[in-house]
Amino acid sequence: MATLKKEAVMQPVRAVQIGRSPLARILLWVAVLMAVIWVLYPFVWAVITSFKTQREALEPTIVPFLQFQPSAENWSAELGLGARETTLALGNSIAISIGATVLATVLGTLTGYALARFRYGIGNRNIVSWVLSQRFLPPVATLIPFFLVLQRLQMIDTVPGLILVNTTFTLPFAILIMRDFFADFPDEIEEAALVDGANPLQIFLRVALPLATPAITAAAIICFAFAWNEYLFASVIAPKDAKPYTFLVASTSTVRGVHFGYLATRMLIAITLPVVLSLFVQRYIVRGLSLGAVKG
Amino acid sequence: MYKKSRARYFFLMPGVVWILAFTFFPLIFSLYLSFTNANMRNFTQATWNLVGFQNYASIGSDLRVGETVVTSLYLTVGSTLLTLTLGTFLAWLFNHDLPGLRIFRSILTMPLFAAPIALGFMGLILFNETSGSINSIIRGLGGTGVRWMTDSWSARTAVLLLDTWQWSPFVFVIILAAMQSIPEELYEAARLDTGSGWAVFRSITFPLIAPALGTVALLRLVETFKILDIPFSMLGGGPGSATQTYSYYVYITGLRNFNMGYASALAYILVIIAIIISTVYFWRVRARFE
């Protein structure tokens, strides 16, 4: 059944047919090509810049070997053996993102399952709206109370402090993705297990959970990407020992002056992981980012 | 029987308790702080006393607020309009029977997952006045370089363009999904009447994607009003304070100058706007969550 469902979603998308005229076709392809260049251009430019020395970075040259001699100096400065600061920050980023992802995915799967399978007096749609409405809140509004509370708990500049923050921000995505998955998924197998005398917890653990693996993976990836990208709270809550990579990147220009090649290298390290991971969750992006308003 | 089983609270509660503890408690705490003179002038522990509506009263006479609101409004309105236009155009473009659509769609969504704080640095490289590639292109086409880093409105525009680059793909994926849910028969019927692609777009496509456009516009409005990372890393809020958005100003007031009571009052104005927009939003879409 799971495969049937998947095929129904993955079938080739129906689309408007292009006019027969070759001119229309060419124009369309030119437009598509321009769109792709427009999106990729800054990435490509950053990659080129990251292989330039400071002097070369001040020249608008593009072609390596012909126009400038590529050098891996920036990359080795950032990722080489002596780069303790980088290793530490990347380690923190990974610990924070994984911690938040695990917590948000576990909580999100439980709550998402609850909202898809059970009925609550308040009205399920009201609970879902309430959960998702958090994404509308300006983060600066909760920044000060978070700072004061974590200060009292002596959790400033700790990895658990940032795990707590990022779990809170990513939880609505996890709940939404899991609720949508279970709501779209036929509950006949679960009903059958109920008739066989299984209790709700057994049904959840042995029947529903194994079937939900793809959705859980997607929820985890999206949570991971958002936690990885978080900067605002990190800058306030973890300025030293628990500093994640985004915060290290943000302090670049003040440390070394504006060194373009080095900056480009750090920028690329910061964005690569989430951008690559996003390629695996295409089906969930539309729903996740539109907070459930549009089915992708 | 199952739907009303008592186990339902066991599944629901962990998430709900988490949200109550870490979103709603801070929100109420922050409302309380907005009526105090909370500060951390000794840089170790915050202290506060209730001061009534004093913070809210001083917002009106704060000269800095005006400029940050102008910057935020420029970015919010500008980015919402630009991303909607570009995103819809891209969706229309990719809604043709092109081979490899899924690969293109994946490429086009890449900017969405790039950390905004890193994008600011991308902006620093691209918009650099002397060596940046954008001014090089402008010069190559015969223009004169734009003062992206030193002129107030050009700097705001550079931030606007970066944000547009990052978020047009968001509008694109959502509007493309909306376009693809339009039944083929409607197009066939329309094509019998007219040969013009524009007429089909105007009379069929546009009316049917209008609700999705409304939804996306609301999301974009909320999201852009929060902008802070890009101006922060790109220009440190400069030149002068030209790219300091309202959120940025709240951040500096509360966590650089540690004037936390006043910052909470500033932030609460944003919270009220967010509550209004989110009420409208979920009133529109909540039927889907039943």
PDB file of all heavy atoms in Angstrom, chain B residues 99-121:
ATOM      1  N   PRO B  99      11.009  18.738 -20.403  1.00  0.00           N
ATOM      2  CA  PRO B  99      11.663  17.569 -19.816  1.00  0.00           C
ATOM      3  C   PRO B  99      12.542  18.018 -18.641  1.00  0.00           C
ATOM      4  O   PRO B  99      13.019  19.144 -18.611  1.00  0.00           O
ATOM      5  CB  PRO B  99      12.515  17.038 -20.969  1.00  0.00           C
ATOM      6  CG  PRO B  99      12.679  18.177 -21.908  1.00  0.00           C
ATOM      7  CD  PRO B  99      11.501  19.077 -21.722  1.00  0.00           C
ATOM      8  N   GLY B 100      12.711  17.134 -17.686  1.00  0.00           N
ATOM      9  CA  GLY B 100      13.620  17.433 -16.578  1.00  0.00           C
ATOM     10  C   GLY B 100      13.087  18.440 -15.583  1.00  0.00           C
ATOM     11  O   GLY B 100      13.843  19.070 -14.860  1.00  0.00           O
ATOM     12  N   LEU B 101      11.744  18.578 -15.550  1.00  0.00           N
ATOM     13  CA  LEU B 101      11.162  19.580 -14.651  1.00  0.00           C
ATOM     14  C   LEU B 101      11.622  19.413 -13.203  1.00  0.00           C
ATOM     15  O   LEU B 101      11.927  20.369 -12.514  1.00  0.00           O
ATOM     16  CB  LEU B 101       9.634  19.512 -14.712  1.00  0.00           C
ATOM     17  CG  LEU B 101       8.923  20.391 -13.685  1.00  0.00           C
ATOM     18  CD1 LEU B 101       9.092  21.859 -14.016  1.00  0.00           C
ATOM     19  CD2 LEU B 101       7.454  20.044 -13.576  1.00  0.00           C
ATOM     20  N   ARG B 102      11.682  18.137 -12.763  1.00  0.00           N
ATOM     21  CA  ARG B 102      11.995  17.927 -11.343  1.00  0.00           C
ATOM     22  C   ARG B 102      13.408  18.363 -10.981  1.00  0.00           C
ATOM     23  O   ARG B 102      13.641  18.861  -9.899  1.00  0.00           O
ATOM     24  CB  ARG B 102      11.762  16.471 -10.956  1.00  0.00           C
ATOM     25  CG  ARG B 102      10.417  16.380 -10.253  1.00  0.00           C
ATOM     26  CD  ARG B 102      10.338  15.160  -9.387  1.00  0.00           C
ATOM     27  NE  ARG B 102       9.398  14.269 -10.007  1.00  0.00           N
ATOM     28  CZ  ARG B 102       9.679  13.033 -10.338  1.00  0.00           C
ATOM     29  NH1 ARG B 102      10.878  12.546 -10.074  1.00  0.00           N
ATOM     30  NH2 ARG B 102       8.793  12.283 -10.904  1.00  0.00           N
ATOM     31  N   ILE B 103      14.320  18.184 -11.926  1.00  0.00           N
ATOM     32  CA  ILE B 103      15.693  18.623 -11.660  1.00  0.00           C
ATOM     33  C   ILE B 103      15.740  20.145 -11.565  1.00  0.00           C
ATOM     34  O   ILE B 103      16.320  20.707 -10.645  1.00  0.00           O
ATOM     35  CB  ILE B 103      16.642  18.126 -12.780  1.00  0.00           C
ATOM     36  CG1 ILE B 103      16.678  16.605 -12.745  1.00  0.00           C
ATOM     37  CG2 ILE B 103      18.030  18.709 -12.618  1.00  0.00           C
ATOM     38  CD1 ILE B 103      17.252  15.975 -13.984  1.00  0.00           C
ATOM     39  N   PHE B 104      15.070  20.808 -12.517  1.00  0.00           N
ATOM     40  CA  PHE B 104      15.041  22.267 -12.486  1.00  0.00           C
ATOM     41  C   PHE B 104      14.418  22.771 -11.198  1.00  0.00           C
ATOM     42  O   PHE B 104      14.875  23.726 -10.585  1.00  0.00           O
ATOM     43  CB  PHE B 104      14.253  22.824 -13.679  1.00  0.00           C
ATOM     44  CG  PHE B 104      15.013  22.761 -14.971  1.00  0.00           C
ATOM     45  CD1 PHE B 104      14.468  22.157 -16.088  1.00  0.00           C
ATOM     46  CD2 PHE B 104      16.276  23.327 -15.065  1.00  0.00           C
ATOM     47  CE1 PHE B 104      15.162  22.106 -17.271  1.00  0.00           C
ATOM     48  CE2 PHE B 104      16.978  23.285 -16.250  1.00  0.00           C
ATOM     49  CZ  PHE B 104      16.427  22.666 -17.360  1.00  0.00           C
ATOM     50  N   ARG B 105      13.342  22.103 -10.787  1.00  0.00           N
ATOM     51  CA  ARG B 105      12.660  22.551  -9.577  1.00  0.00           C
ATOM     52  C   ARG B 105      13.586  22.418  -8.371  1.00  0.00           C
ATOM     53  O   ARG B 105      13.629  23.288  -7.506  1.00  0.00           O
ATOM     54  CB  ARG B 105      11.368  21.770  -9.364  1.00  0.00           C
ATOM     55  CG  ARG B 105      10.480  22.449  -8.353  1.00  0.00           C
ATOM     56  CD  ARG B 105       9.131  21.813  -8.268  1.00  0.00           C
ATOM     57  NE  ARG B 105       9.231  20.460  -7.720  1.00  0.00           N
ATOM     58  CZ  ARG B 105       8.180  19.731  -7.385  1.00  0.00           C
ATOM     59  NH1 ARG B 105       6.966  20.220  -7.545  1.00  0.00           N
ATOM     60  NH2 ARG B 105       8.329  18.529  -6.911  1.00  0.00           N
ATOM     61  N   SER B 106      14.347  21.316  -8.325  1.00  0.00           N
ATOM     62  CA  SER B 106      15.282  21.137  -7.219  1.00  0.00           C
ATOM     63  C   SER B 106      16.342  22.237  -7.214  1.00  0.00           C
ATOM     64  O   SER B 106      16.674  22.786  -6.167  1.00  0.00           O
ATOM     65  CB  SER B 106      15.981  19.786  -7.321  1.00  0.00           C
ATOM     66  OG  SER B 106      15.027  18.766  -7.312  1.00  0.00           O
ATOM     67  N   ILE B 107      16.857  22.559  -8.400  1.00  0.00           N
ATOM     68  CA  ILE B 107      17.880  23.610  -8.476  1.00  0.00           C
ATOM     69  C   ILE B 107      17.294  24.936  -8.003  1.00  0.00           C
ATOM     70  O   ILE B 107      17.894  25.654  -7.215  1.00  0.00           O
ATOM     71  CB  ILE B 107      18.411  23.750  -9.923  1.00  0.00           C
ATOM     72  CG1 ILE B 107      19.184  22.491 -10.323  1.00  0.00           C
ATOM     73  CG2 ILE B 107      19.285  24.987 -10.059  1.00  0.00           C
ATOM     74  CD1 ILE B 107      19.630  22.473 -11.765  1.00  0.00           C
ATOM     75  N   LEU B 108      16.079  25.217  -8.469  1.00  0.00           N
ATOM     76  CA  LEU B 108      15.484  26.510  -8.135  1.00  0.00           C
ATOM     77  C   LEU B 108      15.160  26.667  -6.652  1.00  0.00           C
ATOM     78  O   LEU B 108      15.032  27.788  -6.163  1.00  0.00           O
ATOM     79  CB  LEU B 108      14.212  26.741  -8.977  1.00  0.00           C
ATOM     80  CG  LEU B 108      14.412  27.714 -10.140  1.00  0.00           C
ATOM     81  CD1 LEU B 108      15.437  27.201 -11.118  1.00  0.00           C
ATOM     82  CD2 LEU B 108      13.113  28.012 -10.844  1.00  0.00           C
ATOM     83  N   THR B 109      15.016  25.562  -5.925  1.00  0.00           N
ATOM     84  CA  THR B 109      14.684  25.705  -4.507  1.00  0.00           C
ATOM     85  C   THR B 109      15.933  25.780  -3.616  1.00  0.00           C
ATOM     86  O   THR B 109      15.810  25.952  -2.412  1.00  0.00           O
ATOM     87  CB  THR B 109      13.788  24.560  -4.014  1.00  0.00           C
ATOM     88  OG1 THR B 109      14.378  23.336  -4.411  1.00  0.00           O
ATOM     89  CG2 THR B 109      12.395  24.660  -4.558  1.00  0.00           C
ATOM     90  N   MET B 110      17.107  25.655  -4.213  1.00  0.00           N
ATOM     91  CA  MET B 110      18.326  25.671  -3.400  1.00  0.00           C
ATOM     92  C   MET B 110      18.505  26.918  -2.527  1.00  0.00           C
ATOM     93  O   MET B 110      18.896  26.793  -1.367  1.00  0.00           O
ATOM     94  CB  MET B 110      19.550  25.450  -4.291  1.00  0.00           C
ATOM     95  CG  MET B 110      19.765  23.982  -4.633  1.00  0.00           C
ATOM     96  SD  MET B 110      20.863  23.692  -6.028  1.00  0.00           S
ATOM     97  CE  MET B 110      22.337  24.487  -5.492  1.00  0.00           C
ATOM     98  N   PRO B 111      18.222  28.123  -3.040  1.00  0.00           N
ATOM     99  CA  PRO B 111      18.463  29.304  -2.197  1.00  0.00           C
ATOM    100  C   PRO B 111      17.696  29.294  -0.880  1.00  0.00           C
ATOM    101  O   PRO B 111      18.141  29.849   0.114  1.00  0.00           O
ATOM    102  CB  PRO B 111      17.977  30.465  -3.073  1.00  0.00           C
ATOM    103  CG  PRO B 111      18.104  29.973  -4.463  1.00  0.00           C
ATOM    104  CD  PRO B 111      17.795  28.504  -4.397  1.00  0.00           C
ATOM    105  N   LEU B 112      16.530  28.624  -0.869  1.00  0.00           N
ATOM    106  CA  LEU B 112      15.692  28.624   0.325  1.00  0.00           C
ATOM    107  C   LEU B 112      16.394  28.063   1.553  1.00  0.00           C
ATOM    108  O   LEU B 112      16.065  28.401   2.676  1.00  0.00           O
ATOM    109  CB  LEU B 112      14.441  27.779   0.072  1.00  0.00           C
ATOM    110  CG  LEU B 112      13.352  28.454  -0.731  1.00  0.00           C
ATOM    111  CD1 LEU B 112      12.259  27.458  -1.035  1.00  0.00           C
ATOM    112  CD2 LEU B 112      12.802  29.613   0.065  1.00  0.00           C
ATOM    113  N   PHE B 113      17.349  27.176   1.321  1.00  0.00           N
ATOM    114  CA  PHE B 113      17.962  26.503   2.454  1.00  0.00           C
ATOM    115  C   PHE B 113      19.347  27.055   2.809  1.00  0.00           C
ATOM    116  O   PHE B 113      20.050  26.493   3.622  1.00  0.00           O
ATOM    117  CB  PHE B 113      18.019  24.994   2.199  1.00  0.00           C
ATOM    118  CG  PHE B 113      16.678  24.354   2.347  1.00  0.00           C
ATOM    119  CD1 PHE B 113      15.776  24.368   1.315  1.00  0.00           C
ATOM    120  CD2 PHE B 113      16.301  23.786   3.564  1.00  0.00           C
ATOM    121  CE1 PHE B 113      14.510  23.800   1.462  1.00  0.00           C
ATOM    122  CE2 PHE B 113      15.054  23.230   3.720  1.00  0.00           C
ATOM    123  CZ  PHE B 113      14.153  23.233   2.666  1.00  0.00           C
ATOM    124  N   ALA B 114      19.713  28.156   2.158  1.00  0.00           N
ATOM    125  CA  ALA B 114      20.997  28.770   2.495  1.00  0.00           C
ATOM    126  C   ALA B 114      20.807  29.685   3.705  1.00  0.00           C
ATOM    127  O   ALA B 114      19.858  30.459   3.769  1.00  0.00           O
ATOM    128  CB  ALA B 114      21.511  29.571   1.300  1.00  0.00           C
ATOM    129  N   ALA B 115      21.707  29.577   4.685  1.00  0.00           N
ATOM    130  CA  ALA B 115      21.585  30.399   5.895  1.00  0.00           C
ATOM    131  C   ALA B 115      21.622  31.877   5.530  1.00  0.00           C
ATOM    132  O   ALA B 115      22.566  32.329   4.887  1.00  0.00           O
ATOM    133  CB  ALA B 115      22.710  30.063   6.863  1.00  0.00           C
ATOM    134  N   PRO B 116      20.608  32.659   5.944  1.00  0.00           N
ATOM    135  CA  PRO B 116      20.572  34.084   5.603  1.00  0.00           C
ATOM    136  C   PRO B 116      21.817  34.827   6.082  1.00  0.00           C
ATOM    137  O   PRO B 116      22.281  35.752   5.416  1.00  0.00           O
ATOM    138  CB  PRO B 116      19.332  34.597   6.332  1.00  0.00           C
ATOM    139  CG  PRO B 116      18.481  33.406   6.550  1.00  0.00           C
ATOM    140  CD  PRO B 116      19.396  32.241   6.667  1.00  0.00           C
ATOM    141  N   ILE B 117      22.379  34.400   7.209  1.00  0.00           N
ATOM    142  CA  ILE B 117      23.560  35.088   7.718  1.00  0.00           C
ATOM    143  C   ILE B 117      24.721  34.931   6.735  1.00  0.00           C
ATOM    144  O   ILE B 117      25.511  35.858   6.527  1.00  0.00           O
ATOM    145  CB  ILE B 117      23.930  34.572   9.132  1.00  0.00           C
ATOM    146  CG1 ILE B 117      24.903  35.521   9.817  1.00  0.00           C
ATOM    147  CG2 ILE B 117      24.508  33.163   9.120  1.00  0.00           C
ATOM    148  CD1 ILE B 117      24.274  36.746  10.372  1.00  0.00           C
ATOM    149  N   ALA B 118      24.801  33.778   6.077  1.00  0.00           N
ATOM    150  CA  ALA B 118      25.842  33.552   5.075  1.00  0.00           C
ATOM    151  C   ALA B 118      25.527  34.322   3.796  1.00  0.00           C
ATOM    152  O   ALA B 118      26.427  34.821   3.115  1.00  0.00           O
ATOM    153  CB  ALA B 118      25.994  32.066   4.779  1.00  0.00           C
ATOM    154  N   LEU B 119      24.224  34.448   3.477  1.00  0.00           N
ATOM    155  CA  LEU B 119      23.835  35.190   2.278  1.00  0.00           C
ATOM    156  C   LEU B 119      24.265  36.645   2.351  1.00  0.00           C
ATOM    157  O   LEU B 119      24.587  37.264   1.345  1.00  0.00           O
ATOM    158  CB  LEU B 119      22.321  35.133   2.081  1.00  0.00           C
ATOM    159  CG  LEU B 119      21.776  33.843   1.513  1.00  0.00           C
ATOM    160  CD1 LEU B 119      20.302  34.021   1.193  1.00  0.00           C
ATOM    161  CD2 LEU B 119      22.536  33.482   0.260  1.00  0.00           C
ATOM    162  N   GLY B 120      24.270  37.197   3.556  1.00  0.00           N
ATOM    163  CA  GLY B 120      24.729  38.574   3.727  1.00  0.00           C
ATOM    164  C   GLY B 120      26.153  38.716   3.228  1.00  0.00           C
ATOM    165  O   GLY B 120      26.508  39.701   2.578  1.00  0.00           O
ATOM    166  N   PHE B 121      26.965  37.702   3.499  1.00  0.00           N
ATOM    167  CA  PHE B 121      28.356  37.740   3.042  1.00  0.00           C
ATOM    168  C   PHE B 121      28.441  37.546   1.537  1.00  0.00           C
ATOM    169  O   PHE B 121      29.298  38.110   0.875  1.00  0.00           O
ATOM    170  CB  PHE B 121      29.193  36.689   3.775  1.00  0.00           C
ATOM    171  CG  PHE B 121      29.473  37.095   5.186  1.00  0.00           C
ATOM    172  CD1 PHE B 121      29.082  36.303   6.247  1.00  0.00           C
ATOM    173  CD2 PHE B 121      30.117  38.292   5.447  1.00  0.00           C
ATOM    174  CE1 PHE B 121      29.330  36.699   7.548  1.00  0.00           C
ATOM    175  CE2 PHE B 121      30.367  38.688   6.736  1.00  0.00           C
ATOM    176  CZ  PHE B 121      29.976  37.894   7.799  1.00  0.00           C
TER     177      PHE B 121
END
